[in-house]
Amino acid sequence: MFGEKGSHGTNINKCCILNLLLFCMDKCRMFGEMVLRFSSKRFENHKRFNCKGTRMELSITQPDDWHLHLRDGDLLEGIIPHSAKHFGRAIVMPNLKPPITTTAAALAYRESILKALPKDSSFTPLMTLYLTDMTSPDEIKCAKKSGAVYGVKLYPAGATTNSQDGVTDLFGKCFPVLEEMVEQDLPLLVHGEVTDPNVDIFDREKVYIETILEPLVQKLPQLKIVMEHITTMDAVKFVMSCKEGSVGATVTPQHLILNRNALFQGGLQPHNYCLPVLKREIHRQAIVSAVTSGSKRFFLGTDSAPHEKRKKECACGCAGIFNAPVALSVYAKVFEEAGALDKLEAFTSFNGSDFYGLPRNKSKLTLKKAPWKVPELLSFPFGDIVPMFAGGTLEWEVSLN
C-alpha cells in the first residue's frame, strides 16, 4: 500500500516516481514538445530547456567571440563563414603581416573583413590596434574617435605568432599610451606571457602576472584590462582579486577541455599546439570552476587561429587551433559536465558585451543535444585546414533560429 512504511514502502515510492517519469516522457512524445523547468538550486534562474522526444535543446542569445584571428587574403575568405555563422560580433586580433598598428590600417582591415562575409551575414568585426614601443597617445585618440576600434592588443615581443613587433618595455616605453587609454576608455587586451628564455614555458603566464600585470593594476587601477586566453589557476586568482568590471578574462574551448597530455598522446599532436600552451590538469580544472561559477569576470574568446595543414605538420609547426566550427559545441559540453548549463548563456552572450559596454545581441540560436561528426579536413583552393577535434563526434549541435 502507498501508506506503508519501511523498505517495501520505499520501493513502492521509487516505482511510482519511475512511472511518473515514464508518463511524462510519453506526453512529451505525444505532443512533440514539452518545456521542463528546473527549480533546484543549480537551476534557480529557471532556464528553459526544450525536450523534443528525448532530445534536449537550449535556446540562448547569440554569442560573441571576444578573441578571434581572422587572418587576411584567401585565408580570411575561407574561414570567416565559420565564425560569422555562430557569432554576432568578434574582437579581431591585429597580428597580421604587417601588424595593424594604426587606425587607418584597422579601418582598411575592417573593410576587407566585411567584403569577405557571406552576403546574408550580419556579423560585425570589432577592430583592435597592435601596441608597439612606438605607438603614440594621439593614435589612441584617433582610434577611439573612429568608432571602429574597441581595444589595444599587447603582445610581448616574441610571445606568439607575428608578435616580433610587440612591446619590449611596457612601463618604460608605453606608459603615456596606457594613460591615454584610460582617458579614452579603451581596454588593454593582454597576451600574458613573459618571453624570457630562462622562464619555463609552463610558468610564463604566472611570472607575467607577478612582474607585469600586478604592478600595472597598482599603477593604473582605472585601466580596463582583458587577460586573454587564460590558462592557469594563477590567472583565475589574479582576475578574481581585481575589481569586477576593471579586469576580465577570455577563455578558449581548448583550455577548458584539454590539458597538456593532449599534446603527446599517441605521438606528437601538432593540431593541439597553441600559445599559451596547454597546461596541467589542475589548471584546467581551476578554469572550468571559474567559468561555470557564474562569475561575470570571464567570457567567451575562442582564440580560433587557423593555419594550413602543411604549416602545422612540419618540422617547426605554427601555434594555433582552428576551433571556430566546434567552439560552441565544446563550451556546451564543458558546462553540461559541470552541471552548469544554466550559466552558459551569460558566459557566451552577456559577460563580454557587458564588460565592453556594448548592448547584448537580440537574436537567438539553439544548441541541440544531437551527435554530429567534425570533418577530418576543411579544403580550400589555397590548402587544407584541420579543425579542432577533426574526425571526432561532438554531442551538441548549433542551429540558428
Side-chain angles (χ1 to χ4, degrees):
M1 301 292 293
F2 287 103
E4 290 180 355
K5 298 180 179 180
S7 60
H8 293 293
T10 301
N11 290 335
I12 292 174
N13 288 337
K14 289 181 178 178
C15 183
C16 291
I17 292 171
L18 178 59
N19 287 334
L20 180 60
L21 289 173
L22 291 172
F23 173 78
C24 290
M25 290 176 67
D26 287 339
K27 290 296 183 183
C28 183
R29 294 188 186 96
M30 183 181 302
F31 295 106
E33 180 174 316
M34 181 174 71
V35 176
L36 302 179
R37 288 185 178 272
F38 294 86
S39 58
S40 67
K41 184 177 181 181
R42 187 164 279 168
F43 291 91
E44 58 188 1
N45 292 328
H46 299 289
K47 295 290 182 183
R48 295 174 70 87
F49 295 80
N50 290 333
C51 174
K52 292 187 176 181
T54 57
R55 184 180 66 190
M56 184 163 61
E57 295 184 359
L58 174 60
S59 178
I60 63 171
T61 301
Q62 186 173 27
D64 299 305
D65 188 345
W66 300 101
H67 186 118
L68 177 63
H69 296 271
L70 285 175
R71 310 305 192 204
D72 56 1
D74 291 341
L75 190 53
L76 164 65
E77 293 183 7
I79 59 96
I80 194 172
H82 293 280
S83 291
K85 179 181 178 182
H86 293 164
F87 299 101
R89 298 167 291 197
I91 289 284
V92 181
M93 294 296 107
N95 57 330
L96 304 182
K97 288 185 178 181
I100 306 299
T101 57
T102 67
T103 304
L107 294 175
Y109 185 28
R110 182 178 184 273
E111 287 303 310
S112 297
I113 295 169
L114 293 174
K115 288 179 181 178
L117 284 170
K119 292 183 179 180
D120 59 347
S121 176
S122 59
F123 177 85
T124 302
L126 309 176
M127 309 311 294
T128 59
L129 294 188
Y130 185 115
L131 184 64
T132 74
D133 292 344
M134 304 302 294
T135 303
S136 70
D138 285 342
E139 192 63 58
I140 300 303
K141 294 177 183 176
C142 184
K144 182 66 176 184
K145 187 177 179 180
S146 74
V149 176
Y150 290 83
V152 179
K153 183 63 185 285
L154 165 56
Y155 291 104
T160 189
T161 304
N162 296 342
S163 63
Q164 62 272 14
D165 298 306
V167 171
T168 62
D169 182 359
L170 182 66
F171 296 114
K173 297 182 177 180
C174 300
F175 206 76
V177 169
L178 300 178
E179 291 178 316
E180 187 61 40
M181 289 171 62
V182 172
E183 293 298 317
Q184 300 298 332
D185 193 27
L186 273 181
L188 180 69
L189 318 181
V190 181
H191 182 113
E193 291 187 293
V194 297
T195 56
D196 183 346
N198 294 315
V199 177
D200 190 288
I201 192 170
F202 294 104
D203 296 328
R204 291 180 180 179
E205 185 170 275
K206 179 177 184 294
V207 174
Y208 193 89
I209 292 168
E210 296 169 348
T211 59
I212 303 295
L213 285 180
E214 288 177 349
L216 178 59
V217 170
Q218 292 173 2
K219 291 175 183 290
L220 274 181
Q222 309 96 330
L223 179 65
K224 292 188 76 169
I225 298 172
V226 178
M227 190 173 183
E228 301 285 8
H229 42 52
I230 62 170
T231 67
T232 61
M233 66 172 63
D234 308 281
V236 170
K237 291 176 182 177
F238 168 71
V239 173
M240 293 300 294
S241 72
C242 297
K243 180 182 177 182
E244 186 175 289
S246 63
V247 177
T250 56
V251 185
T252 75
Q254 54 266 30
H255 292 110
L256 281 173
I257 204 166
L258 302 176
N259 62 37
R260 65 186 188 177
N261 289 342
L263 289 167
F264 309 108
Q265 289 173 335
L268 192 62
Q269 301 297 325
H271 298 288
N272 288 338
Y273 171 52
C274 60
L275 288 172
V277 71
L278 300 171
K279 301 298 195 300
R280 291 180 180 271
E281 175 64 11
I282 191 172
H283 294 296
R284 187 194 70 82
Q285 291 178 4
I287 298 170
V288 170
S289 295
V291 303
T292 60
S293 70
S295 172
K296 297 178 181 180
R297 303 166 191 262
F298 305 95
F299 36 94
L300 183 158
T302 65
D303 193 20
S304 185
H307 293 283
E308 291 178 55
K309 182 175 182 284
R310 63 185 178 86
K311 293 183 179 180
K312 293 286 288 182
E313 300 177 4
C314 61
C316 186
C318 296
I321 295 176
F322 182 53
N323 61 36
V326 303
L328 290 181
S329 300
V330 175
Y331 286 125
K333 174 181 174 64
V334 170
F335 276 75
E336 181 187 27
E337 290 178 350
L341 276 175
D342 61 317
K343 297 180 176 67
L344 176 65
E345 185 176 33
F347 171 77
T348 62
S349 312
F350 299 158
N351 296 348
S353 55
D354 292 352
F355 183 89
Y356 277 88
L358 297 173
R360 297 173 178 179
N361 292 325
K362 299 296 185 183
S363 56
K364 297 280 187 178
L365 61 73
T366 300
L367 288 160
K368 300 178 181 179
K369 190 69 180 293
W372 65 282
K373 187 173 181 180
V374 182
E376 295 276 0
L377 287 174
L378 297 173
S379 295
F380 304 95
F382 56 81
D384 297 330
I385 296 177
V386 178
M388 185 180 183
F389 288 128
T393 299
L394 295 176
E395 300 169 358
W396 287 89
E397 187 176 28
V398 182
S399 67
L400 298 177
N401 292 349

